[in-house]
């Protein structure tokens, strides 16, 4: 189906989710946690001895005690490390360098094979703005060249998807009305339902093996859905 046949006005820009849309996030996080543990073992051995479960427990505790930080994954992770250090009787000031080890490893993503060729095609025709609830750094990852409109993160803005204010801020940054923007993401609730509610058009990336984790009790009606970005580029006519 041709995009212009569905809507009277053409797509003028694209907002694009990152985690699980461009790369699988959980293998990345698991690797980053292992590198964090190795650093703690060398610099804060009592904290390392608590194990990964303790760090996850502290992260859950930080999220429960500070719901106002829900949009700020960096702060939650830092608070979890600080809490674990305190529990082990070690210097809480080690939280900052420990987090930097985790954060550097968090940027070592393994992009899906379709990402680079598809972004190259799409970026030739439309400005792309990364719109993410996570804390990926496109410059450190090496993808920034395709995001001519930059990156907007929940941590920077103060709320994240599916809040309509976040999508409205993305449209404002692009200087476009919502109906001229296509949001692309993998999560039915955060990306598709959220963007639909804010008036954007939507493309739902449903990668094999990830669909179950991103399902929605009442699946929204996306403008398009498919398995990868190459299929999206074909649909867009890029």
């Amino acid at each position: 189906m041709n995009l212009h046949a569905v809507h009277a006005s053409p797509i003028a820009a694209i907002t694009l989710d990152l985690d699980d849309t461009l790369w699988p996030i959980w293998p990345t996080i698991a690797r980053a946690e292992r590198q964090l543990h190795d650093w703690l073992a060398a610099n804060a051995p009592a904290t390392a001895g608590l194990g990964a479960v303790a760090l996850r427990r502290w992260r859950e505790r930080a999220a429960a005690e500070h719901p106002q930080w829900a949009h700020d994954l960096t702060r939650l992770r830092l608070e979890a490390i600080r809490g674990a250090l305190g529990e082990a009787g070690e210097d809480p000031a080690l939280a900052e360098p420990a987090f930097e080890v985790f954060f550097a490893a968090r940027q070592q993503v393994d992009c899906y094979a379709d990402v680079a060729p598809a972004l190259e095609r799409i970026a030739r025709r439309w400005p792309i703005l990364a719109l993410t609830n996570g804390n990926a750094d496109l410059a450190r990852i090496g993808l920034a060249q395709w995001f001519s409109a930059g990156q907007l993160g929940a941590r920077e803005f103060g709320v994240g998807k599916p809040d309509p204010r976040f999508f409205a801020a993305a449209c404002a940054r692009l200087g476009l009305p919502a109906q001229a923007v296509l949001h692309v993401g993998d999560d039915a609730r955060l990306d598709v339902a959220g963007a639909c509610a804010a008036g954007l058009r939507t493309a739902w990336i449903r990668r094999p093996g990830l669909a179950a984790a991103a399902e929605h009790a009442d699946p929204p009606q996306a403008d398009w859905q498919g398995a990868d970005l190459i299929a999206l580029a074909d649909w867009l006519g890029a």
Side-chain angles (χ1 to χ4, degrees):
M1 183 180 294
N2 186 283
L3 185 66
H4 296 172
V6 179
H7 297 282
S9 58
I11 291 295
I14 290 171
T15 57
L16 184 59
D17 174 59
L18 300 178
D19 294 330
D20 282 336
T21 298
L22 303 189
W23 53 76
I25 185 56
W26 290 115
T28 303
I29 295 299
R31 183 169 58 239
E33 288 180 340
R34 288 194 299 270
Q35 293 192 29
L36 170 61
H37 179 271
D38 291 346
W39 187 92
L40 290 171
N43 297 276
T47 304
L50 296 175
V53 172
L55 279 171
R56 293 192 188 103
R57 186 177 70 246
W58 274 103
R59 191 181 182 284
E60 291 167 1
R61 178 175 174 178
E65 292 180 353
H66 302 282
Q68 72 276 18
W69 297 349
H71 65 282
D72 191 343
L73 301 184
T74 292
R75 190 166 187 176
L76 288 173
R77 179 72 63 171
L78 186 58
E79 187 68 17
I81 298 170
R82 187 177 289 115
L85 286 162
E87 179 182 341
E90 293 181 313
D91 187 358
L94 291 171
E96 284 78 9
F99 174 77
E100 285 305 316
V101 170
F102 172 86
F103 190 66
R106 188 259 185 271
Q107 311 309 319
Q108 297 167 13
V109 302
D110 296 316
C111 289
Y112 295 112
D114 57 283
V115 168
L119 286 180
E120 184 175 8
R121 289 170 58 187
I122 295 169
R124 288 196 198 113
R125 290 189 55 184
W126 293 278
I128 306 175
L129 171 68
L131 192 64
T132 179
N133 285 3
N135 52 8
D137 183 327
L138 289 174
R140 292 173 73 165
I141 289 170
L143 297 178
Q145 69 268 28
W146 288 304
F147 291 81
S148 61
Q151 179 173 349
L152 180 60
R155 182 171 188 249
E156 169 193 352
F157 182 65
V159 298
K161 298 175 289 186
D163 194 303
R165 293 172 294 175
F166 194 39
F167 292 99
C171 295
R173 178 172 290 195
L174 291 163
L176 293 167
Q179 64 269 23
V181 179
L182 176 72
H183 179 67
V184 181
D186 72 287
D187 191 287
R189 182 179 69 89
L190 300 180
D191 292 304
V192 183
C196 283
L200 285 74
R201 305 179 203 177
T202 56
W204 188 3
I205 303 296
R206 305 183 71 182
R207 294 187 180 277
L210 288 179
E215 288 298 344
H216 192 271
D218 182 21
Q221 183 62 49
D223 292 276
W224 175 89
Q225 57 181 282
D228 59 35
L229 294 180
I230 292 291
L232 174 65
D234 290 343
W235 179 70
L236 288 168

